[in-house]
């Protein structure tokens, strides 16, 4: 398979749905919080009762504009809503209000790992409800499905990319950066597992060097970054095999089965004309003045790429900057530390080291712990003043996360302050030397590596509290 892959070029384009974090639905006043009791967020508008009229939620438009600006999109001066008709049990109206030929956002782009990925468009639409099938949610053994319409009418922004990606890894990186962006601009919580961000991946193959794209398959049901990458990898091999066997890839929608690790044909791909789109007669076209766009632009926060660049300017490695930005809570915490004047490099070492490990192990966000930016800054200052060593800092940061205690209080209580008194260190060093005559002889005879042994002994004796630099200097002096 690897050899065959050399013969083909992969083409990928993603359609990403981001659920917008508004208080109410896109055309109705009911709330749209996740996890409410079934069928409690369902006004007559959401249910599509006869005679009801949709009213556009302005917050949705603001979020659409803001995201569009973050993705370098043209913001339409005028856009409109259309009805997309299809019949399904989770769609009581029999149609979905979407945007067809005049979306809110036009062409844009996103730079991912230095490569420009085109955005074709982004449009607003309402979500459908949810079917709960037999076997799920306590319906085990039943032969029916239930409909929960809480999600119906939740605002979505569908962001469509150009077919610009050339590998599953690139597609994943694009999706990750897109998630960073919607999170940082505050329009979506970007939670793939809960479905607040969903991705349909379109993929085709063509012989290397060709400029004619192959027929694409659309893969649905990928609800993690890992799944996206795996589904695309699987699909490349499937399509290559078909073509190599002289068969054709058919345009269709396929479902990713994460457990089996395969995609399965779900249905033939509908064409736009199957949906019988027509302009939504109950909503006026939306005119977006340039003043409105500028008002929204003023609310633009720092974007992930700007944040990474700023961190790298402070001396962080590209990798560290990327890892911190990927975890927004951590980045926000780090920014607070910087505002309070904390040393960036020492802060990052803690955040990426002990703190990240603890959070991962406990499955917590930094905001769930009792560590405050102020307390981390105080800890850093103790290290900078050589009151404690870096190692002691690593030992107490976990307590600080658990108990919220200040570093100075822990240091005092446990007697952890650093021994910088050279007289005291000298005394201990001499004691170690006297107690280990054979090692001293070997060291003096040329076994340089033994120096570490003496350092280790002094550290052990002082429970890690001796100033490492002084220990080194003193041992060099005493050992000759
Ligand atoms: P639809 O809504 O019917 O799926 P779109 O025209 O909106 O169709 O395109 C969907 C996605 O498919 C876009 O992200 C686009 O980049 C991608 N795409 C189009 N053609 C190809 C192709 N030949 N191979 C891979 N992706 C493609
Ligand atoms: Mg599609």
């Amino acid at each position: 398979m690897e050899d065959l892959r050399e013969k083909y070029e992969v083409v990928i384009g993603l359609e990403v749905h981001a659920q917008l974090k508004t208080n109410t639905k896109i055309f109705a006043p009911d709330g749209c919080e996740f996890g409410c009791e079934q069928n409690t967020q369902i006004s007559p508008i959401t249910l599509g009762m006869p005679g009801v009229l949709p009213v556009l939620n302005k917050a949705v438009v603001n979020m659409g504009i803001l995201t569009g600006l973050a993705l370098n999109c043209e913001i339409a001066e005028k856009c409109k809503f259309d009805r997309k008709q299809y019949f399904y049990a989770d769609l009581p109206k029999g149609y979905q209000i979407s945007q067809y030929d005049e979306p809110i956002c036009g062409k844009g782009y996103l730079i991912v790992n230095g490569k420009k990925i085109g955005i074709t468009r982004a449009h607003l639409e309402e979500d459908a409800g949810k079917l709960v099938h037999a076997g799920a949610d306590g319906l085990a053994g039943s032969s029916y499905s239930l409909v929960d319409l809480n999600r119906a009418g939740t605002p979505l922004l569908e962001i469509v990319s150009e077919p610009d990606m050339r590998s599953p890894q690139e597609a994943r990186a694009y999706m990750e950066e897109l998630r960073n962006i919607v999170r940082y601009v505050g329009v979506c919580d970007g939670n793939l597992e809960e479905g607040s961000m969903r991705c349909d991946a379109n993929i085709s193959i063509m012989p290397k060097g060709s400029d004619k794209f192959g027929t694409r398959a659309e893969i649905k049901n990928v609800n993690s970054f890992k799944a996206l990458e795996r589904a695309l990898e699987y699909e490349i091999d499937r399509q290559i095999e078909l073509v190599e066997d002289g068969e054709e890839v058919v345009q269709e929608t396929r479902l990713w089965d994460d457990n089996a690790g395969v995609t399965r044909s779900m249905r033939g791909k509908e064409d736009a004309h199957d949906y019988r789109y027509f302009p939504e007669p109950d909503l006026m076209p939306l005119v977006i003045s340039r003043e409105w766009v500028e008002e929204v632009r003023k609310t633009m926060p720092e974007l992930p790429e700007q944040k990474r660049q700023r961190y790298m300017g402070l001396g962080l490695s590209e990798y560290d900057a990327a890892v911190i930005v990927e975890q927004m809570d951590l980045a926000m915490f780090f920014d607070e530390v910087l505002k309070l004047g904390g040393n960036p490099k020492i802060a990052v070492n803690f955040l990426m080291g002990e703190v990240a490990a603890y959070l991962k192990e406990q499955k917590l966000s930094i905001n769930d712990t009792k560590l405050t930016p102020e307390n981390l800054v105080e800890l850093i200052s103790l290290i900078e003043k050589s009151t404690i060593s870096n190692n002691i800092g690593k030992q107490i940061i976990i307590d600080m996360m658990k108990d919220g205690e200040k570093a100075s209080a822990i240091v005092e209580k446990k007697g952890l302050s650093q021994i910088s008194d050279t007289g005291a260190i000298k005394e201990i060093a001499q004691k170690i030397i006297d107690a280990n005559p054979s090692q001293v002889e070997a060291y003096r005879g040329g076994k340089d590596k033994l120096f570490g042994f003496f350092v280790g002994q002094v550290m052990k004796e002082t429970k890690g509290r001796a100033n490492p630099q002084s220990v080194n200097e003193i041992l060099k002096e005493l050992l000759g």
Side-chain angles (χ1 to χ4, degrees), residues 15 158 200 202 216 218 220 269:
E15 296 161 272
E158 176 172 344
D200 300 342
N202 296 270
R216 70 186 150 118
E218 181 184 46
K220 286 188 184 289
K269 172 88 194 132

Side-chain angles (χ1 to χ4, degrees), residues 36-67:
C36 294
E37 194 189 330
Q38 290 90 339
N39 294 311
T40 53
Q41 315 279 307
I42 46 167
S43 65
I45 299 175
T46 296
L47 294 177
M49 292 292 171
V52 297
L53 289 173
V55 177
L56 179 59
N57 180 346
K58 189 171 178 184
V60 170
V61 180
N62 284 335
M63 288 182 179
I65 298 173
L66 189 64
T67 314

Side-chain angles (χ1 to χ4, degrees), residues 74-322:
E74 295 159 12
I75 308 298
E77 305 216 359
K78 185 191 139 221
C79 65
K80 70 171 171 59
F81 290 91
D82 300 278
R83 285 190 184 180
K84 179 180 182 181
Q85 346 277 327
Y86 63 95
F87 177 81
Y88 209 62
D90 62 8
L91 191 73
K93 293 205 296 287
Y95 61 86
Q96 178 191 20
I97 306 181
S98 180
Q99 296 191 299
Y100 181 48
D101 54 350
E102 292 185 52
I104 183 166
C105 300
K107 281 201 178 315
Y109 64 89
L110 190 55
I111 307 277
V112 182
N113 296 332
K115 181 178 159 179
K116 196 169 181 173
I117 308 288
I119 308 273
T120 314
R121 56 184 275 162
H123 64 261
L124 296 170
E125 62 186 21
E126 59 178 340
D127 206 348
K130 212 168 85 179
L131 287 182
V132 184
H133 297 295
D137 287 13
L139 288 183
S142 61
S143 56
Y144 53 88
S145 296
L146 294 176
V147 188
D148 177 10
L149 291 172
N150 279 353
R151 202 178 66 183
T154 299
L156 300 175
L157 183 69
E158 176 172 344
I159 302 159
V160 182
S161 86
E162 291 287 307
D164 282 350
M165 287 156 276
R166 292 293 173 269
S167 70
Q169 292 67 40
E170 229 171 73
R172 177 180 181 152
Y174 163 83
M175 176 89 180
E176 284 177 341
E177 185 63 353
L178 202 54
R179 174 167 83 162
N180 283 336
I181 288 177
V182 296
R183 279 187 166 169
Y184 277 94
V185 301
V187 301
C188 173
D189 62 24
N191 195 330
L192 274 65
E193 287 76 21
E194 283 181 7
S196 60
M197 201 171 167
R198 305 193 282 269
C199 166
D200 300 342
N202 296 270
I203 178 167
S204 64
I205 55 162
M206 61 182 176
K208 270 226 169 103
S210 165
D211 54 9
K212 195 172 169 297
F213 288 173
T215 305
R216 70 186 150 118
E218 181 184 46
I219 311 170
K220 286 188 184 289
N221 206 30
V222 281
N223 53 14
S224 70
F225 293 119
K226 185 94 210 123
L228 173 64
E229 220 178 308
R230 285 177 69 211
L232 290 170
E233 292 286 355
Y234 174 85
E235 196 57 24
I236 294 171
D237 289 340
R238 188 188 70 87
Q239 293 187 9
I240 290 178
E241 225 164 278
L242 278 176
V243 173
E244 286 289 319
D245 289 348
E247 290 172 55
E248 276 183 6
V249 176
V250 291
Q251 186 168 332
E252 63 181 350
T253 301
R254 301 180 68 85
L255 274 189
W256 170 245
D257 179 337
D258 205 48
N259 291 324
V262 299
T263 63
R264 291 202 182 91
S265 179
M266 178 167 103
R267 56 168 189 245
K269 172 88 194 132
E270 311 81 354
D271 284 319
H273 64 251
D274 295 328
Y275 289 120
R276 296 292 189 271
Y277 278 103
F278 68 82
E280 166 61 60
D282 291 337
L283 288 165
M284 298 285 279
L286 176 66
V287 174
I288 304 171
S289 72
R290 297 306 91 178
E291 290 75 36
W292 187 357
V293 174
E294 290 318 306
E295 278 308 305
V296 174
R297 198 192 298 276
K298 282 188 205 145
T299 68
M300 182 70 73
E302 184 179 40
L303 290 170
E305 177 58 15
Q306 297 167 323
K307 223 183 240 308
R308 282 190 293 262
Q309 293 297 336
R310 178 163 59 85
Y311 290 169
M312 279 155 67
L314 295 171
L316 267 64
S317 69
E318 195 177 347
Y319 175 81
D320 286 354

